[in-house]
Amino acid sequence: MIMQRIMLSCLVLAVMTITGCSKDNHDSPQSTLAGRVVYNGHPLSLRSNGVQLELWQDGFDLRTKIPIYVTQEGAFSATLFDGNYKLVQLNGNGPWVSSTDTIDITVSGHTEVDVPVTPYFIITSSTITQNGTNINASVRLTQVNNSLPLDAVSLYLGSTTIVDQVNSVAGASVAAADITDITQPVSLTAAIPTSLTAKGYLYARVGVKTAGVAELLYTVPVKVELK
């Protein structure tokens, strides 16, 4: 009787060991989903990891979203298992009109997809230059969707290419109330702080903010070699 119990215990232990090894030896995801957030086919410049998309996989009882963060270049990527997924926007998260559209994606190996959006405002042209101890910027705006008004246009200065409303050393803003004609260039001037003067260079970027929307749409960061 004792021997039977010992043999039964050994059998249970062996099964548990095999099961545990099987779980530990599951393959890790090898496929890649890559894409861009675009308007008219062009990627949008955003705050680094400030905008998030949601990815859901079908066929699971416990559906859990996979957060996908967008880079400041408007790109995103995720390492996944092959399968069918649904990509959706996080409501009110980006500087564009919220959409409930779902993009169905079949991931197999390397898969690419663009997420089209409709911004409230875009910056169609920009110049950023040094003038003595100041950085001057001039931008032209276009209102793409008029459901929300303009809030402000801001210039941000930083020590790295990651520069935005959260990551900046100095800057300047012009409120919408002070912009009488949106079809005309908007000018901004920010004093160069001592910390950036000592480095000999800085990065500058302009962002446009829509009223009631937290995230901004930006120009590409520009490196300015200080004279």
Side-chain angles (χ1 to χ4, degrees):
M1 187 67 176
I2 295 176
M3 183 61 68
Q4 289 178 337
R5 289 180 179 176
I6 293 174
M7 292 179 63
L8 180 60
S9 297
C10 290
L11 179 60
V12 171
L13 180 60
V15 171
M16 291 176 63
T17 301
I18 293 172
T19 303
C21 290
S22 176
K23 290 182 179 178
D24 291 340
N25 291 333
H26 279 174
D27 292 336
S28 59
Q30 299 294 326
S31 295
T32 302
L33 172 66
R36 308 174 303 167
V37 178
V38 300
Y39 172 66
N40 283 347
H42 299 287
L44 298 178
S45 293
L46 306 167
R47 178 169 69 90
S48 179
N49 293 332
V51 173
Q52 177 184 326
L53 304 174
E54 293 182 348
L55 195 65
W56 300 82
Q57 186 171 19
D58 291 335
F60 289 89
D61 293 334
L62 298 176
R63 298 180 73 230
T64 302
K65 74 174 182 180
I66 303 171
I68 305 293
Y69 291 95
V70 184
T71 69
Q72 72 174 13
E73 293 82 15
F76 59 87
S77 65
T79 302
L80 305 166
F81 291 105
D82 285 350
N84 297 320
Y85 295 84
K86 294 184 182 297
L87 185 64
V88 298
Q89 298 178 31
L90 191 61
N91 188 41
N93 184 237
W96 46 71
V97 180
S98 293
S99 173
T100 58
D101 291 347
T102 297
I103 300 177
D104 293 313
I105 303 169
T106 299
V107 174
S108 178
H110 180 75
T111 304
E112 295 186 358
V113 61
D114 280 349
V115 179
V117 297
T118 303
Y120 294 102
F121 295 88
I122 59 172
I123 300 173
T124 56
S125 65
S126 65
T127 58
I128 297 175
T129 57
Q130 180 187 3
N131 182 15
T133 59
N134 295 325
I135 295 295
N136 293 337
S138 177
V139 297
R140 283 186 176 271
L141 307 177
T142 295
Q143 186 167 14
V144 178
N145 181 281
N146 61 6
S147 59
L148 290 176
L150 179 68
D151 182 56
V153 179
S154 300
L155 169 64
Y156 299 98
L157 309 182
S159 59
T160 72
T161 56
I162 305 298
V163 55
D164 49 51
Q165 78 242 51
V166 174
N167 304 286
S168 64
V169 177
S173 292
V174 176
D178 297 322
I179 302 174
T180 56
D181 186 353
I182 195 175
T183 65
Q184 297 301 309
V186 179
S187 299
L188 304 102
T189 299
I192 303 171
T194 304
S195 60
L196 295 181
T197 301
K199 292 179 71 69
Y201 65 89
L202 58 79
Y203 290 89
R205 201 179 189 200
V206 177
V208 55
K209 185 178 185 304
T210 302
V213 178
E215 294 297 329
L216 283 67
L217 190 143
Y218 295 87
T219 61
V220 174
V222 173
K223 185 177 183 180
V224 180
E225 299 285 353
L226 301 178
K227 303 172 184 178

